[in-house]
Amino acid sequence: MRVDVMIIGAGAAGMAAAIKAKEEGAEVLLVERDDRTGGILNQCIHNGFGLHYFKQELTGPEYAERFQEKMDKLGIKAVTNAYVKQIGNREVILVTEKGIERIEVGALVYAVGARERPFGSLMIPGDRPSGIFTAGVAQRLINIENHLPGKRALILGSGDIGLIMARRLVLEGMEVVGVVERLPYPGGLLRNVVQCLEDYDIPLYLSSTVVEVRGRERLEEVVVAKVDESFNPIPGTEKVFKIDTLVVSAGLIPQLKLVDSLVNKNPTSKGVATSNIGQTSTDWIFSAGNCTAVFDLVDYVTYEGETAGKYAAKFVKGEVKGGRIPIKPGKNAAVVHPLWYIPIEPLTLYIRVKRPMEKGRLVAGKFERVFEDLVPSEMLRVRIPDRYLEGLDEIVVSIEEVI
Ligand SMILES: Cc1cc2nc3c(=O)[nH]c(=O)nc-3n(C[C@H](O)[C@H](O)[C@H](O)COP(=O)(O)OP(=O)(O)OC[C@H]3O[C@@H](n4cnc5c(N)ncnc54)[C@H](O)[C@@H]3O)c2cc1C
């Protein structure tokens, strides 16, 4: 079998890519290992999705449904329960209920999302009882499988997922004794700190971490301690929390496994490196969504998916031409995406700062703009007009603190 554009993963990025590739005239194959489209959106039943894209606040499943409806109208039928096992030279090995198939592709859009950092990788000493869940697993248990993970919980990590789960557990009748964060500031969006913790009187313990886990069969207690600037526990600050559930929300890691040996990585986001049209270092492979960089908002993932889908289809038609200008992370830029600019599409930059700043001047090529209240947890999305990039042979992106 041969298709023009194959898309792996039917989350927000993959669905958007499929729609745009089809609108561009390509024959499209969208494959998804789950039994439905939507990806992580299916288990995010809270609202807060689509404010940029639809100017409306939707739940995750509602947001996904809008794209499913659009796919139905265009006649795009995702192949579900289909797992991509391997990617070769312009070919993909797909495992479905019918068997193993080799598919030749004109272009590929890799949109497989991110995975959660597991508890084991945190190297926390102590016992290994039941009752320890990653936030995504706890969310799936509650929102999809209708099971409560326990009665009394502590959340480790104050990223958006940890904050949202703290509120979710309380709404479902559990007690949440606190959220513990090793950084001196919350890891998630400010609106989530207010709406998920402050509104429910859930304490947030900053500059703190779990230093020991105790329990024979089931989790019985954890020890939390304050940490210094290098995240080393400070002796004498230990506090014991009697809980039966520890929810670990220690961040997302872009999934790279299938393309590990095929494409360059973005050292700042730890994801697939792409240009502003979603093209990777291998010309026929495009990529978008959380496997390129972990985005705060699904709207951004959708924009990126649309661009990758559109240009994957154009690539098949031989319409992607032009040199690439490298984009280089400079001072105070912790994450910069994309890493190349091809002047056939305007440049939209996604940036995370290294540390909080009251005021910072973003410099990208000849472009400069001052932003206020910059924090690492909130991604900056900035469209850079072409005139600021003309004549450059590289674009350095930095943020200078304005005092
Ligand atoms: C708990 C939580 C809360 C969030 N809250 C908000 C919010 O309030 N507002 C907001 O805007 N955003 C929020 N987000 C972020 C947003 O939901 C995500 O950024 C976005 O949905 C990610 O889309 P994606 O397509 O990149 O990845 P995913 O949704 O992860 O989709 C990737 C898909 O690829 C499939 N796949 C992976 N490997 C294979 C393979 N080998 N073969 C076939 N298929 C494969 C997976 O099954 C999956 O369906 C939240 C995210 C989480 C996790």
Side-chain angles (χ1 to χ4, degrees):
M1 183 182 174
R2 189 205 173 271
V3 287
D4 291 339
V5 178
M6 179 168 178
I7 298 125
I8 309 176
M15 289 200 287
I19 290 165
K20 285 293 165 189
K22 179 86 183 187
E23 285 177 350
E24 197 61 43
E27 181 201 358
V28 164
L29 174 65
L30 171 62
V31 296
E32 167 57 51
R33 68 178 171 190
D34 209 341
D35 60 2
R36 67 188 101 172
T37 58
I40 197 74
L41 290 167
N42 291 319
Q43 63 183 67
C44 297
I45 64 170
H46 56 279
N47 53 8
F49 295 83
L51 274 168
H52 289 249
Y53 196 87
F54 292 113
K55 312 280 178 271
Q56 251 180 304
E57 211 178 353
L58 305 171
T59 64
E62 283 169 342
Y63 189 89
E65 188 54 32
R66 297 256 173 130
F67 290 89
Q68 182 57 57
E69 280 168 9
K70 214 162 180 192
M71 291 204 316
D72 293 344
K73 276 196 194 131
L74 289 168
I76 305 167
K77 193 170 173 343
V79 179
T80 53
N81 294 319
Y83 183 76
V84 171
K85 183 89 189 68
Q86 205 179 320
I87 303 172
N89 187 17
R90 294 207 188 208
E91 65 168 32
V92 171
I93 306 296
L94 181 68
V95 184
T96 66
E97 288 154 327
K98 292 186 196 139
I100 299 175
E101 209 175 334
R102 193 180 138 265
I103 295 158
E104 258 181 68
V105 298
L108 185 75
V109 180
Y110 184 73
V112 299
R115 67 186 170 87
E116 293 187 283
R117 194 180 296 282
F119 172 71
S121 69
L122 304 181
M123 314 288 275
I124 298 173
D127 304 320
R128 288 295 177 263
S130 66
I132 302 173
F133 304 88
T134 61
V137 169
Q139 188 180 48
R140 193 180 171 90
L141 277 176
I142 295 175
N143 293 351
I144 296 199
E145 293 173 27
N146 211 17
H147 294 300
L148 260 196
K151 293 197 172 90
R152 204 172 139 81
L154 180 86
I155 317 276
L156 175 57
S158 68
D160 289 318
I161 307 175
L163 299 175
I164 284 161
M165 281 313 293
R167 174 178 65 183
R168 188 85 209 120
L169 297 181
V170 170
L171 290 174
E172 290 296 332
M174 281 179 71
E175 190 184 345
V176 177
V177 298
V179 175
V180 172
E181 170 59 59
R182 69 178 190 159
L183 293 167
Y185 48 84
L189 300 172
L190 193 59
R191 73 164 198 223
N192 283 333
V193 176
V194 175
Q195 292 171 10
C196 301
L197 301 190
E198 291 176 11
D199 288 357
Y200 292 83
D201 290 330
I202 300 171
L204 174 60
Y205 299 96
L206 295 173
S207 299
S208 302
T209 192
V210 171
V211 291
E212 195 182 338
V213 169
R214 297 175 186 156
R216 279 181 65 81
E217 304 271 309
R218 176 83 194 197
L219 180 64
E220 288 162 24
E221 56 187 38
V222 294
V223 184
V224 171
K226 286 277 198 198
V227 293
D228 61 20
E229 279 168 11
S230 317
F231 305 128
N232 295 314
I234 304 171
T237 61
E238 295 85 358
K239 200 170 163 163
V240 175
F241 287 89
K242 300 255 177 229
I243 50 168
D244 62 11
T245 307
L246 177 65
V247 174
V248 180
S249 178
L252 298 173
I253 308 165
Q255 296 245 46
L256 294 173
K257 207 173 110 196
L258 286 168
V259 290
D260 225 5
S261 58
L262 293 169
V263 300
N264 287 358
K265 322 279 169 321
N266 179 333
T268 69
S269 69
K270 314 278 185 264
V272 177
T274 73
S275 68
N276 59 319
I277 62 165
Q279 195 176 31
T280 69
S281 52
T282 300
D283 62 358
W284 58 278
I285 303 180
F286 290 69
S287 187
N290 278 355
C291 55
T292 62
V294 175
F295 291 88
D296 292 346
L297 296 179
V298 70
D299 313 61
Y300 298 170
V301 168
T302 298
Y303 295 134
E304 291 288 288
E306 288 182 342
T307 306
K310 172 178 156 188
Y311 281 98
K314 282 186 175 290
F315 174 81
V316 176
K317 292 190 276 180
E319 292 173 10
V320 173
K321 293 191 179 85
R324 302 173 152 208
I325 300 163
I327 300 171
K328 298 204 168 142
K331 198 174 164 198
N332 289 321
V335 174
V336 174
H337 167 86
L339 280 195
W340 302 286
Y341 166 56
I342 304 178
I344 52 174
E345 172 74 20
L347 174 62
T348 301
L349 280 176
Y350 295 87
I351 304 138
R352 280 189 203 280
V353 288
K354 275 196 177 142
R355 58 184 171 81
M357 283 180 223
E358 270 179 32
K359 246 186 196 181
R361 181 181 294 107
L362 169 74
V363 181
K366 294 178 254 176
F367 175 88
E368 287 192 17
R369 188 185 297 165
V370 173
F371 290 87
E372 291 188 356
D373 300 325
L374 294 169
V375 279
S377 55
E378 298 202 17
M379 201 172 214
L380 269 183
R381 178 178 188 266
V382 190
R383 174 69 70 94
I384 313 288
D386 294 346
R387 64 180 183 280
Y388 295 104
L389 305 170
E390 278 164 12
L392 298 176
D393 49 19
E394 67 171 26
I395 301 159
V396 178
V397 177
S398 57
I399 303 100
E400 288 156 15
E401 187 155 23
V402 180
I403 301 173

